[in-house]
Amino acid sequence: MSAMSAVPRQLKRAAAVGAVAASAVFVFSAPAFAHVSVEPTGEAAKGGYATVNFKVPNERDNASTTKLEVNFPTDHPLASVMPQPVDGWDVKVTKSKLDKPIEMHGEKIAEAVSKVTWTADDKGIEPGTFQQFPVSLGALPEDADQVVFKALQTYSNDEVVRWIEEPQKGAPEPESPAPVLELAAAADGHGGAASAEKASDDAGSEAGAAEQAAADSSDGLARGLGVAGILVGAAGVAFGLLAGRRRGESAS
């Protein structure tokens, strides 16, 4: 065997090893991009309300996802949680008593949603597909930059994947990261309830100003009509006196 024929074989062997290594990297890194996640529709601002989507991809090619359980935080309980109906899925909202009641719109809230469970009626999320589960929730915490939800994904073969590991800043992404909702700063530095109250106050002030302007306009019109009436009356008196004088002069 010549040296020239040995070189191509070595190149082929190196290429084959590289291809296997690349495919291995892809296989082992792919799950990091296919975990259960949560994203807001629009913006999720501190102290406000938002609609979010829990995105659930199917990572298996021989089973379907038939159930999703999303656990809500207890350190920042959310008093209002309303899932949107999803075709082909039953939804159950579980509430739990709070260790410390929270106040919302001037009322004490002693319990909050602790878990939402979606269960497939039929095939569920089949291989190669994903499903989104929309939820309206709030009020979001004002003193946190994110909200962490822990999720359990159940497959038709009874396998359960626990997406419960909280990602840490500056650290590699965990193998089974929990869905994390990043919060934006409130636009005016206040929570959603305060913003709504301020908007209501502003609307009330504008309505009051418009009502006062209408009242002032009405008063001005009335005063104008009154003055006009006085002028007309004075003109009538003057005309009457002038006509009487002319008749007296004509008679003499």
Side-chain angles (χ1 to χ4, degrees), residues 9 23 51 58 64 68 88 126 154 189-190 212 214 249 252:
R9 289 185 180 181
S23 62
T51 297
N58 192 326
S64 297
L68 172 69
E126 298 184 90
T154 302
H190 298 285
Q212 184 61 44
E249 292 175 353
S252 62

Side-chain angles (χ1 to χ4, degrees), residues 2 27 80 119 122 140-141 150 206 217 239-240:
S2 65
V27 168
S80 176
T119 305
D122 193 8
L140 296 168
K150 295 184 178 182
E206 292 178 2
S217 176
F239 180 77

Side-chain angles (χ1 to χ4, degrees), residues 38-174:
V38 58
E39 292 293 337
T41 301
E43 187 177 73
K46 296 180 180 180
Y49 291 77
T51 297
V52 303
N53 287 306
F54 289 96
K55 183 179 179 181
V56 184
N58 192 326
E59 296 184 300
R60 305 292 180 261
D61 53 11
N62 59 352
S64 297
T65 295
T66 55
K67 185 166 71 172
L68 172 69
E69 300 174 59
V70 175
N71 293 277
F72 286 71
T74 55
D75 54 342
H76 293 293
L78 304 176
S80 176
V81 176
M82 295 184 292
Q84 179 177 321
V86 178
D87 290 342
W89 294 80
D90 286 331
V91 60
K92 179 183 178 183
V93 177
T94 302
K95 292 185 177 182
S96 300
K97 289 187 177 181
L98 299 175
D99 294 334
K100 182 180 179 181
I102 60 176
E103 187 171 334
M104 183 176 178
H105 302 308
E107 296 183 4
K108 292 286 185 180
I109 306 295
E111 64 177 12
V113 172
S114 57
K115 182 171 66 174
V116 177
T117 304
W118 290 268
T119 305
D121 289 336
D122 193 8
K123 297 180 180 179
I125 308 172
E126 298 184 90
T129 65
F130 73 92
Q131 177 68 55
Q132 294 193 97
F133 299 90
V135 179
S136 172
L137 46 78
L140 296 168
E142 299 182 12
D143 56 351
D145 295 325
Q146 62 183 23
V147 179
V148 179
F149 303 90
K150 295 184 178 182
L152 276 65
Q153 182 179 9
T154 302
Y155 285 90
S156 55
N157 59 2
D158 294 331
E159 178 189 4
V160 178
V161 181
R162 301 169 63 84
W163 304 102
I164 61 174
E165 298 179 60
E166 185 173 347
Q168 302 294 330
K169 290 184 178 180
E173 186 178 59

Side-chain angles (χ1 to χ4, degrees), residues 8-28:
R9 289 185 180 181
Q10 291 176 354
L11 291 176
K12 290 179 181 180
R13 186 179 299 121
V17 171
V20 171
S23 62
V25 170
F26 175 78
V27 168
F28 286 112

